[in-house]
Amino acid sequence: MPGIFESLRIIDRAELAERVSMAAAIRALQATLRGGFDPETDPPRSIVDVRHGQLLLMSADLGGYTGQKLGMVAPGNPARGLERIQAIYVVLDAETLAPIALLDGTELTSIRTPAVSAAVLDLTATPRASSLVVFGTGPQGVRHVEAMRAIRPIERVRFVGRDAARAQHAADSAAVPGLDVAVGTAADVADADIVVCATSAREPMFDDELVPDHAAVVALGSHEVDARELPGALLGRSQVIVESDRVARTEAGDVILAIAEGHLEAGSLVPMARIVDGTVAAASDRPRILKTCGMGWQDLAVAQVAVD
């Protein structure tokens, strides 16, 4: 009998990037939800605190595959020149649970997180959205520019960060011919069609009044109950879209704190599956907010594209 590693495919960062385009990842996520998958059935994430960060264990079961991600969150890594979030991902045959492939989970996360945002904003952002403001200067901030440009005619991008040099590096990394990319400030939110928050902030980064009614906002930086990127008042006047009711109530600090403050009614939350399958229409008279924390099914939906 062959050993477990003899037939295991290794898909490294370069091959994964070649096999899975941002557009393909977006389509895969939308197809999963339109095919009837209910994110509420996704196994809960396990979070283990270790001395220098957290280990995230995320399982999923879709179609012909089962998957397991081990994510590592090390808050001190950016100062070392390393990514704050790293991961490895194992794809298993759903019936035999035999390992099929080992993927670079860091690259997988870098693709699937912005693809999740784009899968929903493709249906909620104003059709001619051209102005994007990104809070956060790490890999997710940069990859969200790619994702938003995959669904909307983005012409202007402003990066906002606490460190001016890192913000400039992010702007340089996202630069492509014909795209106006520069370092900005929170005031740029007033003219934004799309706002992406991909930070480690624990308090709101801009005032509610800055966000225009036509804007679509994504908050993805935290899965902690006491951390937020958005003011509660903004959630109170917006259509709030979440990955699942369970995740929103147990991990999404932006949502949990807004409810606790009385700004937001828990019953008003809209699961993203209902937006994608057309059951609930996107609001047109107020901001649309997508709050994500990351779920296992999202990784597997994108990993399947690489394996197939």
Side-chain angles (χ1 to χ4, degrees):
M1 182 177 296
I4 193 171
F5 291 106
E6 293 181 22
S7 60
L8 188 67
R9 296 167 56 188
I10 306 297
I11 302 179
D12 63 16
R13 174 178 294 223
E15 184 176 1
L16 184 56
E18 180 180 345
R19 284 174 171 264
V20 186
S21 68
M22 188 63 71
I26 294 167
R27 290 194 299 268
L29 290 159
Q30 291 177 335
T32 298
L33 295 178
R34 287 173 178 150
F37 174 75
D38 183 2
E40 295 291 352
T41 66
D42 204 44
R45 168 184 20 221
S46 297
I47 302 176
V48 180
D49 291 319
V50 293
R51 285 176 299 157
H52 300 295
Q54 294 178 323
L55 301 180
L56 310 181
L57 307 177
M58 301 171 68
S59 306
D61 192 14
L62 294 173
Y65 300 107
T66 300
Q68 176 69 58
K69 182 163 83 170
L70 170 60
M72 297 79 76
V73 182
N77 272 4
R80 304 182 182 101
L82 301 173
E83 295 188 31
R84 186 174 72 94
I85 301 176
Q86 304 173 87
I88 56 175
Y89 197 87
V90 183
V91 178
L92 314 170
D93 177 84
E95 185 174 352
T96 66
L97 298 184
I100 294 173
L102 179 65
L103 280 62
D104 183 321
T106 306
E107 178 65 17
L108 178 63
T109 304
S110 291
I111 297 171
R112 74 86 159 140
T113 304
V116 169
S117 300
V120 176
L121 264 65
D122 186 31
L123 305 168
T124 58
T126 183
R128 300 303 302 171
S130 62
S131 176
L132 168 65
V133 175
V134 180
F135 287 83
T137 58
Q140 280 298 336
V142 175
R143 293 304 294 269
H144 267 77
V145 176
E146 177 187 352
M148 295 304 108
R149 292 186 72 237
I151 60 166
R152 290 296 185 271
I154 301 298
E155 299 174 353
R156 181 179 187 270
V157 179
R158 293 293 179 265
F159 277 94
V160 184
R162 290 171 294 185
D163 186 294
R166 289 180 181 174
Q168 186 60 59
H169 181 266
D172 293 342
S173 299
V176 295
L179 184 65
D180 174 12
V181 187
V183 175
T185 69
D188 289 306
V189 169
D191 298 316
D193 299 315
I194 297 175
V195 179
V196 170
C197 301
T199 76
S200 57
R202 306 193 70 84
E203 296 295 335
M205 294 173 296
F206 50 84
D207 293 334
D208 160 44
E209 293 80 5
L210 283 175
V211 181
D213 286 343
H214 75 272
V217 181
V218 181
L220 59 113
S222 170
H223 56 261
E224 299 176 77
V225 299
D226 58 350
R228 69 195 328 177
E229 296 176 287
L230 306 177
L234 175 60
L235 275 75
R237 69 177 179 93
S238 302
Q239 182 183 47
V240 180
I241 303 163
V242 297
E243 293 158 300
S244 81
D245 188 74
R246 168 177 56 83
V247 169
R249 291 171 182 265
T250 59
E251 297 185 28
D254 291 271
V255 171
I256 293 167
L257 293 171
I259 292 174
E261 294 165 348
H263 292 296
L264 180 66
E265 294 289 335
S268 68
L269 300 176
V270 180
M272 62 185 293
R274 303 289 78 81
I275 293 289
V276 175
D277 69 16
T279 303
V280 176
S284 59
D285 59 343
R286 53 196 165 126
R288 282 78 64 207
I289 293 176
L290 171 64
K291 171 56 190 171
T292 66
C293 298
M295 298 182 71
W297 70 269
Q298 300 160 355
D299 291 301
L300 185 54
V302 176
Q304 288 180 136
V305 178
V307 172
D308 288 340

